């Protein structure tokens, strides 16, 4: 929308008690497509054209009993008592615009959106999800196109005249990350009806997840993020844990997907515990493969050099140094890349712009505003929305308004704290919640509250939430903290149950309760099977409780289960289920890293077996450096026995070194592996290593040596009737020839 001045319509009469009530209205939003370019090309012509545009809009809106409640540049926001009036106005406007001679401007194309629902009115303006949804619907339209929500289409369908119809455009995710909207286009017989695909999220490259809850408040901060990202290359959202940094960043990213040719990409860093893995985390999201002879950082910089994209690095605080180094490199090497980061402290990079994220707007319980004004405070709106999600009949009323205002104030407007409190409305009244907060938050009742760090407040809330859990739920929450990057139900049952204090059949019930109480988040992976995760703050808290309870055996079970998963995957990666297992291992990569890290100090032999089994996954997915690092560390940690496990791990390390172009190291590692296989009399094991040694020779142009090694590998395969091994050797010999 262009911000150039226009002649505003006469202000609509929005007085009267009806405007403060929750009533259903149909909203009608418009703006001119490409108006900025038109103003640049035809500054004089656009002044005349915009005046005529405003006249057409005002005549159609007022002529159909509508009211204009806001104009922003060339955009009109109007409200109608019925959807029939709104549709009639839209048709009148489009017909008049289409018939109008526009002089040198040639044409004015206006996009329109209609949506019906409940709203709140205050001081001549409207607020609420219906207004937001109408704006999102408008952003998906093209000039000359009129879009209707499913709600409005159902109300209008039976009364449309014969020359007007509705075209079903199917469901689309609008730029708000929430539920998809079924969208319809108004088709008028004497007006154009063919338009490009809608500008919905599906039309642009991104990996932004659907959010199961609505985006509440933060309108000012959202506008600031979008404005800043147009002028700065690195923007860091800085704030305490639980203040809503990630949700705000996701919303901003979703609303900017159409501004980046090569997409908007979320990189979740909560499960990345080692700064050296940061390049791999970004590369995995972008599908960038490691290249022989180059560091992954160099490969990323080269790949992204000419790409216009937005990277959202979420949860940077535990990797500040690594994030600073890598973002600095990308910003200096990739002129079209912009980076949005959420962190508890700034990265400290040249050119970084920071946006401190305050807590949500709070009412003053000592001077409680009228009910309609109270509901417009962000913190109260959030409490209302999340409470109604669990108890649909809940609303902030005159009887509970004071308690809700006091809850929000006591929780300092921290979104996570408010959400956790609101989840209790299913079993406690706001007054009961407030009383429990008084008991638990004794420090907040005296002294200077501003002297208390917000993290301490958040911990106090989680303490309170934890104390309300049943014994089994507490046990499960503590043990879930051993997972990194999420988990499946199968893994939770295996890792968290010990068949004494918590049996496996109890896990599902307790997990469901933790989800209901907003302590566990549910995600869907690509296969459609649910995965679960803890918010990072909750995970840290639960981990402390786990250590206090002396339940170290949960980490051991986690280690053993994921090491076993790695060994099981070895066979599956050579069969028909290879693609499925590659995706499964990728989803569990953070857990595999945690298991290998634990094994490095507690069970190096088991870790060595698992790493030897994972080398094919690391190779196919391009995790060369990471796989080689794990193998090197575990080979060093484990005793120098001549075992099959050691020979296998040496072969895996050699193969990964070869993939990196480090042929001298590859030859040394593979030669050691072959020596052990032969000392054990294990000819099948030797055959695989012979083939890998042949690959090293072949890649260095030593074809005669490669042929000899491949032929020996083929001989062993034929002795054993190993058709797969024989086929691999024959392919290799074919390459030599």
């Amino acid at each position: 929308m262009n911000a150039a001045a226009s002649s505003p319509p006469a202000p609509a009469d929005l007085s009267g008690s009806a405007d403060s009530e929750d009533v259903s209205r149909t909203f009608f939003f418009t703006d001119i497509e490409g108006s900025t370019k038109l103003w640049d090309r035809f500054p004089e012509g656009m002044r005349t054209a915009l005046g005529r545009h405003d006249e057409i809009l005002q005549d159609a809106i007022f002529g159909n009993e509508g009211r204009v409640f806001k104009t922003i540049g060339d955009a009109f926001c109007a409200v109608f008592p019925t959807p029939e009036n709104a549709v009639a106005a839209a048709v009148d406007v489009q017909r008049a615009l289409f018939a109008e001679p526009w002089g040198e401007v040639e044409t004015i194309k206006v996009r329109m959106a209609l949506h019906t629902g409940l709203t709140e009115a205050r001081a001549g303006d409207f607020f609420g999800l219906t207004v937001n949804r109408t704006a999102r619907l408008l952003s998906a339209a093209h000039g000359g196109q009129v879009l209707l929500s499913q709600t409005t289409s159902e109300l209008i369908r039976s009364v449309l005249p014969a020359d007007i119809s509705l075209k079903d455009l199917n469901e689309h995710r609008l730029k708000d990350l929430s539920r998809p909207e079924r969208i319809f286009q108004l088709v008028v017989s004497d007006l154009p009806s063919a338009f490009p695909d809608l500008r919905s999220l599906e039309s642009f490259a991104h990996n932004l997840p659907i959010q199961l809850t609505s985006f509440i408040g933060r309108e000012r901060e959202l506008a600031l993020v979008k404005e800043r990202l147009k002028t700065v290359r690195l923007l860091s959202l800085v704030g305490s844990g639980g203040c809503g940094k990630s949700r705000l960043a996701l919303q901003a990213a979703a609303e900017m997907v159409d501004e980046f040719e090569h997409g908007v990409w979320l990189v979740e860093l909560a499960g990345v515990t080692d700064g050296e893995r940061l390049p791999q985390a970004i590369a995995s999201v972008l599908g960038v493969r490691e290249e022989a002879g180059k560091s992954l950082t160099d490969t990323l910089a080269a790949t992204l050099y000419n790409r216009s994209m937005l990277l959202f690095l979420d949860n940077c605080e535990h990797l500040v140094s690594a994030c600073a180094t890598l973002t600095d490199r990308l910003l200096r090497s990739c002129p079209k890349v912009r980076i949005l980061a959420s962190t508890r402290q700034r990265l400290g990079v040249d050119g970084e712009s920071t946006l401190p994220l305050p807590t949500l707007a709070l009412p003053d319980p000592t001077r409680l505003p009228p009910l309609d004004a109270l509901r417009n405070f962000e913190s109260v709106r959030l409490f209302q929305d999340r409470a109604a999600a669990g108890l649909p009949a809940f609303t902030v009323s005159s009887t509970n308004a004071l308690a809700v205002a006091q809850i929000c104030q006591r929780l300092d407007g921290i979104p996570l704290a408010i959400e956790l409190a609101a989840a209790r409305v299913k079993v406690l009244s706001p007054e009961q919640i407030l009383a429990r907060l008084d008991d638990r938050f004794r420090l907040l009742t005296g002294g200077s509250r501003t002297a208390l760090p917000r993290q301490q407040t958040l911990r106090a809330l989680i303490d309170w939430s934890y104390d309300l859990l049943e014994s089994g739920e507490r046990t499960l929450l503590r043990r879930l903290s051993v997972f990194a990057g999420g988990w499946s139900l199968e893994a939770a049952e295996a890792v968290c149950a010990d068949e004494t204090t918590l049996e496996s059949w109890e896990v599902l019930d307790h997990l469901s309760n933790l989800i209901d109480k907003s302590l566990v988040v549910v995600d869907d992976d690509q296969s459609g099977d649910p995965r679960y995760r803890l918010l990072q703050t909750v995970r840290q808290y639960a981990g402390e409780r786990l250590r206090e309870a002396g339940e170290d055996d949960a980490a051991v079970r986690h280690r053993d289960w994921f090491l076993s998963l790695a060994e099981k995957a070895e066979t599956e990666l050579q069969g028909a289920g290879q693609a499925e297992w590659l995706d499964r291992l990728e989803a569990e990569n953070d857990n595999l890293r945690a298991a290998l890290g634990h094994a490095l100090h507690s069970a190096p032999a088991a870790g060595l077996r698992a790493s030897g089994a994972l080398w094919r996954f690391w190779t196919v997915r391009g995790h060369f450096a990471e796989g080689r690092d794990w193998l090197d560390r575990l080979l060093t940690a484990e005793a120098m026995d001549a075992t099959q496990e050691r020979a296998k791990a040496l072969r895996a390390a050699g193969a990964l070194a070869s993939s990196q172009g480090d042929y001298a190291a590859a030859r040394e590692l593979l030669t050691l592996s072959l020596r052990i296989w032969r000392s054990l009399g294990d000819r099948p094991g030797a055959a695989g290593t012979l083939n890998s040694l042949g690959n090293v020779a072949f890649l260095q142009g030593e074809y005669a040596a490669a042929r000899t090694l491949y032929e020996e590998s083929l001989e062993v395969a034929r002795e054993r009737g190993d058709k797969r091994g024989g086929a691999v050797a024959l392919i290799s010999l074919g390459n030599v020839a």
Side-chain angles (χ1 to χ4, degrees):
M1 296 183 292
N2 186 275
S6 62
S7 301
D13 179 13
L14 295 177
S15 61
S17 60
D19 283 324
S20 63
E21 299 171 356
D22 290 335
V23 297
S24 181
R25 302 175 173 89
T26 296
F27 286 84
F28 173 60
F29 286 8
T30 77
D31 73 2
I32 298 175
E33 182 179 61
S35 58
T36 301
K37 293 180 180 179
L38 291 173
W39 276 100
D40 287 341
R41 292 180 59 195
F42 312 110
E44 293 301 325
M46 274 298 288
R47 287 188 178 89
T48 302
L50 189 59
R52 179 60 184 142
H53 160 273
D54 291 353
E55 291 175 1
I56 291 173
L57 265 292
Q58 292 175 46
D59 289 346
I61 293 170
F62 298 148
N64 287 282
E65 301 181 17
R67 297 179 292 169
V68 177
F69 63 90
K70 185 185 296 183
T71 59
I72 307 172
D74 56 54
F76 274 63
C77 300
V79 62
F80 289 83
T82 70
E84 293 94 327
N85 294 120
V87 168
V91 173
D92 289 348
V93 170
Q94 292 292 17
R95 280 175 169 159
L97 293 172
F98 189 69
E100 182 73 19
W102 294 104
E104 66 172 353
V105 178
E106 297 180 354
T107 183
I108 294 289
K109 293 184 178 180
V110 176
R111 56 181 181 171
M112 304 179 180
L114 285 74
H115 179 44
T116 306
L118 299 175
T119 60
E120 296 177 4
R122 177 168 59 90
D125 203 350
F126 291 91
F127 302 88
L129 297 179
T130 300
V131 174
N132 295 340
R133 206 67 177 167
T134 310
R136 300 289 183 266
L137 191 61
L138 180 67
S139 70
H142 298 275
Q145 189 175 35
V146 182
L147 298 183
L148 284 71
S149 67
Q150 183 170 7
T151 302
T152 303
S153 68
E154 290 173 351
L155 293 170
I156 198 70
R157 187 183 304 276
S158 62
V159 295
L160 288 174
D163 61 339
I164 300 176
S165 61
L166 295 176
K167 180 180 180 181
D168 188 347
L169 300 181
N170 298 316
E171 285 193 342
H172 292 266
R173 287 176 63 195
L174 302 178
K175 296 179 184 179
D176 56 5
L177 296 177
S178 63
R179 60 177 174 82
E181 175 75 56
R182 196 168 196 91
I183 299 175
F184 294 81
Q185 177 186 315
L186 196 68
V187 178
V188 184
S189 61
D190 57 340
L191 292 174
S193 60
F195 299 96
D197 292 339
L198 296 183
R199 296 186 177 101
S200 59
L201 284 183
E202 288 86 350
S203 303
F204 306 100
H206 71 90
N207 68 336
L208 303 177
I210 292 176
Q211 298 296 301
L212 302 181
T213 56
S214 54
F215 183 72
I216 302 293
R218 300 289 195 201
E219 287 88 356
R220 174 184 172 276
E221 291 83 3
L222 180 61
L224 279 173
V225 171
K226 293 161 60 178
E227 180 183 348
R228 293 265 195 97
L229 280 173
K230 293 179 180 179
T231 57
V232 302
R233 301 279 311 287
L234 170 61
L235 176 62
S236 295
L237 304 186
V238 181
S240 60
C243 73
K245 301 184 295 292
S246 298
R247 187 64 179 90
L248 173 62
L250 281 171
Q251 187 67 31
E255 296 193 14
M256 299 184 75
V257 290
D258 55 347
E259 299 183 25
F260 296 92
E261 180 183 355
H262 298 100
V264 173
W265 303 100
L266 164 64
V267 183
E268 296 177 329
L269 301 180
V272 181
T273 57
D274 187 342
E276 293 183 2
R277 309 294 179 226
L278 178 62
Q280 184 61 61
I282 297 175
S284 295
V285 168
L286 300 179
V288 175
R289 297 286 300 274
E290 189 172 339
E291 297 179 6
K294 294 174 65 176
S295 72
L296 191 50
T297 299
D298 289 340
T299 302
L300 277 171
T303 303
L304 305 185
Y305 167 70
N306 204 31
R307 291 191 186 181
S308 170
M309 65 168 54
L310 175 66
L311 287 180
F312 169 30
L313 305 182
D314 193 20
N315 291 306
C316 299
E317 52 271 357
H318 61 300
L319 302 170
V320 169
S321 178
C323 287
T325 300
L326 186 55
T327 56
D328 183 70
R329 173 65 188 282
L330 293 179
L331 292 175
R332 294 180 187 277
S333 303
C334 311
K336 296 183 180 180
V337 170
R338 295 182 188 271
I339 298 174
L340 177 62
S342 71
T343 178
R344 295 183 190 180
Q345 64 182 97
R346 64 190 303 271
L347 301 185
V349 176
D350 288 344
E352 177 184 22
S353 177
T354 60
L355 180 62
L357 197 59
T359 55
L360 298 178
L362 292 166
D364 182 354
T366 64
R367 293 192 296 270
L368 203 64
L371 192 59
D372 58 341
L374 176 65
R375 290 174 178 166
N376 285 317
F377 279 93
E378 292 177 332
S379 54
V380 176
R381 287 163 57 193
L382 181 62
F383 188 95
Q384 161 78 49
D385 182 83
R386 300 304 190 255
L391 186 67
F394 178 84
T395 185
V396 177
S397 65
S398 58
T399 57
N400 63 27
L402 178 59
V404 170
Q406 289 177 324
I407 289 170
C408 292
Q409 190 213 42
R410 290 292 180 88
L411 299 180
D412 292 326
I414 299 173
L416 176 59
I418 292 172
E419 290 188 2
L420 290 171
R424 297 300 180 192
V425 167
K426 290 186 292 185
V427 293
L428 298 172
S429 69
E431 292 77 12
Q432 289 174 312
I433 294 173
L434 179 62
R436 289 176 180 267
L437 289 178
D438 286 339
D439 292 338
R440 185 58 61 185
F441 290 178
R442 288 188 295 272
L443 288 175
L444 300 180
T445 60
S448 174
R449 293 179 67 247
T450 58
L452 294 171
R454 291 191 181 96
Q455 182 60 40
Q456 185 174 355
T457 302
L458 186 57
R459 178 180 173 81
L461 174 63
I462 303 175
D463 271 333
W464 164 74
S465 187
Y466 180 82
D467 289 344
L468 287 178
L469 297 177
E470 299 293 333
S471 175
E473 295 168 358
R474 293 183 200 172
T475 300
L476 180 59
L477 182 65
R478 290 195 302 267
R479 295 176 183 180
L480 289 173
S481 68
V482 302
F483 288 100
W487 65 86
S488 64
L489 176 60
E490 177 189 11
E493 290 173 334
V495 170
C496 297
D498 57 7
E499 306 308 332
T500 55
T501 57
L502 184 65
E503 298 190 51
S504 57
W505 62 267
E506 297 179 285
V507 170
L508 177 58
D509 287 342
H510 292 326
L511 182 61
S512 299
N513 292 338
L514 292 175
I515 293 168
D516 289 341
K517 295 172 182 178
S518 301
L519 289 169
V520 171
V521 179
V522 185
D523 295 320
D524 287 331
D525 65 14
Q526 294 180 348
S527 68
D529 295 329
R531 281 182 64 82
Y532 312 90
R533 59 183 171 86
L534 294 176
L535 294 172
Q536 188 65 12
T537 305
V538 176
R539 182 180 177 228
Q540 292 172 356
Y541 174 89
E544 292 176 9
R545 288 287 193 167
L546 184 78
R547 290 186 288 275
E548 291 172 4
E551 294 176 317
D552 296 338
D553 53 340
V556 174
R557 289 193 298 272
H558 176 276
R559 177 200 70 194
D560 293 345
W561 197 84
F562 282 100
L563 295 184
S564 296
L565 179 71
E567 293 187 62
K568 181 180 179 182
E570 182 177 23
T571 301
E572 301 291 345
L573 289 177
Q574 300 179 65
Q578 183 189 66
E580 175 187 346
W581 274 84
L582 285 169
D583 289 341
R584 182 174 181 182
L585 292 176
E586 195 71 66
E588 300 291 7
N589 210 0
D590 289 332
N591 282 310
L592 292 169
R593 289 165 178 153
L596 289 172
H598 192 295
L600 187 64
H601 305 290
S602 61
L608 196 64
R609 285 197 307 274
S611 62
L614 284 171
W615 77 271
R616 195 177 300 274
F617 161 67
W618 286 326
T619 299
V620 175
R621 286 297 169 96
H623 305 326
F624 306 139
E626 178 177 1
R628 189 176 171 189
D629 179 55
W630 281 120
L631 285 159
D632 287 348
R633 293 163 70 185
L634 286 160
L635 282 165
T636 302
E638 176 58 1
M640 301 296 290
D641 296 332
T643 62
Q644 289 181 328
E645 290 79 7
R646 187 168 190 80
K648 186 175 178 180
L650 285 165
R651 182 203 171 188
L656 288 167
S658 178
S659 296
Q660 289 185 301
D662 189 354
Y663 300 124
R667 193 186 298 272
E668 180 181 354
L669 290 163
L670 292 169
T671 300
L672 287 173
S673 172
L674 183 60
R675 187 179 303 157
I676 294 175
W677 289 124
R678 284 176 168 164
S679 71
L680 297 171
D682 191 329
R683 284 175 60 75
T689 301
L690 285 166
N691 197 80
S692 295
L693 273 168
N695 291 341
V696 173
F698 174 76
L699 290 169
Q700 292 186 288
E702 300 169 4
Y703 301 128
R707 180 190 297 275
T708 300
L709 292 163
Y710 290 147
E711 286 175 343
E712 187 175 352
S713 179
L714 177 61
E715 178 185 350
V716 176
R718 284 175 170 169
E719 284 177 3
R720 299 179 58 244
D722 178 5
K723 292 185 178 181
R724 179 185 178 86
V728 170
L730 286 168
I731 290 171
S732 300
L733 286 167
N735 288 335
V736 169

